[in-house]
Amino acid sequence: MSQKLEVWQRGPLPDIHPLLQPVAHALLQAREEIEEYMSEFPVALLWERPAGMASTGFHLQHLSGVLDRVFTYARAEGLSEFQFAQLAEEGKDSAEGYTVADLVNRFNRQVDVAMEQLKNTDISTLPDFRGIGRAKLPSTVIGLLFHAAEHTMRHVGQLMVTAVVVKK
């Protein structure tokens, strides 16, 4: 039985600069792992909070939202009202009730947007200052892109554990 190689082990991604390959690899790896762990996940368990910890639904919302927000800052843009509304919604179901597929598809779309941004990122801008939030906390383009990848993988790990625990 052969084990599937992780995204980074499959080689360089076309149209992504070598300096940005680790970010792209991490985001695509996150997509694959979320698809696997959320396959056949019961919608009734989306908002369960084991031991008071964040729910699977929260992690799925947060994964999409934080990726969107951090990549927005990397473009030197401020957040939109829609992004603030999504941030406020994190951890809550919609009035219509989200399906697992709704939240997984939202994340997948955000990864597609991020990959397109990575393809179009001018590497000469990587050390450029980027202010985060209203306080303009200091970062750089590469700092934000790296943080997006790291933060995404952190929450994927938390989501995977939460999904297993609530299904027991």
Side-chain angles (χ1 to χ4, degrees), residues 34 76 140:
I34 287 171
T140 60

Side-chain angles (χ1 to χ4, degrees), residues 133-151:
R134 292 181 180 115
K136 299 293 181 207
L137 299 172
S139 191
T140 60
V141 173
I142 190 64
L144 287 163
L145 298 177
F146 174 82
H147 175 69
E150 177 275 326
H151 195 87

Side-chain angles (χ1 to χ4, degrees), residues 42-56:
V43 71
L45 300 178
L46 262 180
W47 307 104
E48 293 292 317
R49 297 183 61 205
M53 301 303 285
S55 67
T56 303

